[in-house]
Amino acid sequence: MNQRIKQVLLVCVCLFTLHMQVMADSLSDSESALDAERALDAGDYVKAAKLLRPLAEQGLAQAQLSLGVMYAQGNGVPQDYKEAVKWHRLAAEQGLADAQFNLGAIYAKEDGVLQDYKEAAKWYRLAAEQGLDEAQDNLGNMYSKGNGVPQDYKEAMKWHRLAAEQGLADAQFNLGAMYYLGQGIGQDYHIAVRWWKQAAEQGLAKAQFNLGLMYASGNGVPQDYKEAMKWYRLAAEQGHAKAQLNLGVMYGNGQSVPKDYALAYMWAYIAAENETYGEIKKLSTEILALVAKQMDSNQIAEMQELARRCTANKFKGC
């Protein structure tokens, strides 16, 4: 069976979970702030919103941010993106980096405002200049894509590197991708591997997949199917369809493991079920048909059931 390994290029991760400031850090002398924090910790969002509102109306940036997040998520208050933007903007204009980041994400995603990449880049930059790693990474993505700023790979690399050096896995992945593609710098597979490995060791599935790909192809590292299998499996167990498919291919080819058409079928079946359309669905279906020729109907039914159980168990012990 011919191995089919697909390259994964730069993935832009332009939004993250909205940040909520911990109240007591800067308002420890305010009983209302402490009560609001306790209510948030207890998941009593209705009480927290009531406590936060007067603090926010007094101009306390952390309270404005927290109230903005609650409106964005509909926690303790009706979901209202316009209110979310209002409170985030008040906090962001006071220089609160988390609020600036969230406001950038809101403009990038088009939540309660018209999508405006220029405005998103403006707020990401303000947060990035304060050292917020996710803002730095998102600003790097905007420079890579030319969204809201002129496309500039060197500037993208600058911001990705700042975030990557702080240990942000997504930034490490993106920086590795730039070295892999030769964007903003000379192509260097060895350095790409180095950054992807740092991200992979933090559990980032797409980095684990790319690292497996590099070991399978021998790009940037000596070819090592055992290492490729290791990283594919880690990504596959997180539900990464491409890794699941490549894991099946390796079983079908007998690379680092004894050839096993049953396991090849199982992982290809899982990948096909994981992707409802697109190239991976097509490839998975092709590989299933190829492997099925080496199996009887009972084996196929058994592996399909095993695949369903594997998926239900979140791929543990497969």
Side-chain angles (χ1 to χ4, degrees):
M1 184 169 63
N2 292 327
Q3 187 173 14
R4 295 173 181 268
I5 297 178
K6 294 296 167 183
Q7 304 285 349
V8 169
L9 304 183
L10 180 64
V11 173
C12 175
V13 182
C14 294
L15 287 185
F16 296 85
T17 302
L18 296 182
H19 294 190
M20 184 179 288
Q21 189 79 7
V22 176
M23 301 299 299
D25 284 351
S26 57
L27 301 172
S28 57
D29 59 343
S30 166
E31 190 62 32
S32 294
L34 291 171
D35 287 343
E37 183 189 8
R38 284 192 284 267
L40 287 170
D41 289 342
D44 189 345
Y45 296 116
V46 172
K47 181 179 179 180
K50 290 178 180 178
L51 292 168
L52 287 167
R53 187 174 300 279
L55 295 171
E57 289 172 346
Q58 292 171 34
L60 298 177
Q62 294 88 352
Q64 292 167 341
L65 168 61
S66 294
L67 193 58
V69 172
M70 294 177 78
Y71 271 111
Q73 297 177 340
N75 289 332
V77 292
Q79 190 174 52
D80 188 328
Y81 288 122
K82 289 185 179 178
E83 280 292 299
V85 170
K86 165 190 164 183
W87 291 111
H88 273 107
R89 186 179 297 280
L90 288 169
E93 288 174 347
Q94 293 194 63
L96 195 63
D98 287 315
Q100 292 167 342
F101 171 82
N102 285 2
L103 196 54
I106 287 168
Y107 274 105
K109 189 180 177 184
E110 197 177 5
D111 279 341
V113 293
L114 292 174
Q115 189 174 59
D116 187 333
Y117 287 129
K118 186 175 181 180
E119 192 73 5
K122 164 190 164 182
W123 291 109
Y124 282 149
R125 185 183 304 280
L126 288 169
E129 289 173 347
Q130 294 194 62
L132 191 64
D133 55 2
E134 290 173 318
Q136 292 168 339
D137 189 42
N138 280 15
L139 187 58
N141 285 328
M142 299 197 84
Y143 273 109
S144 286
K145 294 285 188 179
N147 288 337
V149 291
Q151 189 176 54
D152 186 331
Y153 289 131
K154 288 185 178 179
E155 194 69 8
M157 177 161 277
K158 163 191 163 182
W159 290 108
H160 284 318
R161 187 181 300 281
L162 286 170
E165 289 174 348
Q166 292 195 65
L168 185 66
D170 279 303
Q172 292 167 343
F173 175 85
N174 287 339
L175 188 57
M178 296 197 77
Y179 275 104
Y180 178 86
L181 295 170
Q183 292 177 332
I185 199 163
Q187 189 176 56
D188 192 321
Y189 291 150
H190 294 89
I191 298 179
V193 166
R194 189 179 77 195
W195 285 111
W196 282 340
K197 188 171 186 180
Q198 289 185 51
E201 288 173 345
Q202 293 192 62
L204 192 66
K206 59 190 176 184
Q208 292 168 340
F209 170 75
N210 278 15
L211 195 55
L213 187 67
M214 300 299 270
Y215 276 109
S217 60
N219 286 329
V221 288
Q223 189 176 56
D224 187 331
Y225 289 131
K226 187 176 181 180
E227 275 295 298
M229 174 77 79
K230 164 190 163 182
W231 291 109
Y232 282 153
R233 184 176 295 280
L234 287 169
E237 289 175 351
Q238 294 192 63
H240 194 289
K242 294 182 179 72
Q244 292 164 346
L245 177 58
N246 281 5
L247 195 57
V249 169
M250 295 193 74
Y251 274 112
N253 287 336
Q255 292 166 319
S256 88
V257 290
K259 186 175 289 188
D260 190 324
Y261 291 124
L263 287 177
Y265 187 96
M266 184 195 78
W267 281 111
Y269 187 88
I270 289 170
E273 292 296 298
N274 199 1
E275 292 286 318
T276 56
Y277 61 90
E279 184 183 17
I280 298 304
K281 179 72 172 181
K282 180 176 179 291
L283 285 172
S284 300
T285 302
E286 290 175 359
I287 290 173
L288 284 171
L290 185 63
V291 176
K293 294 177 181 179
Q294 310 297 324
M295 303 166 65
D296 61 37
S297 59
N298 289 333
Q299 288 176 313
I300 290 171
E302 182 183 350
M303 287 302 105
Q304 288 177 349
E305 176 58 27
L306 186 59
R308 285 189 284 268
R309 291 205 305 267
C310 178
T311 302
N313 292 330
K314 301 187 184 300
F315 312 108
K316 298 303 179 185
C318 297

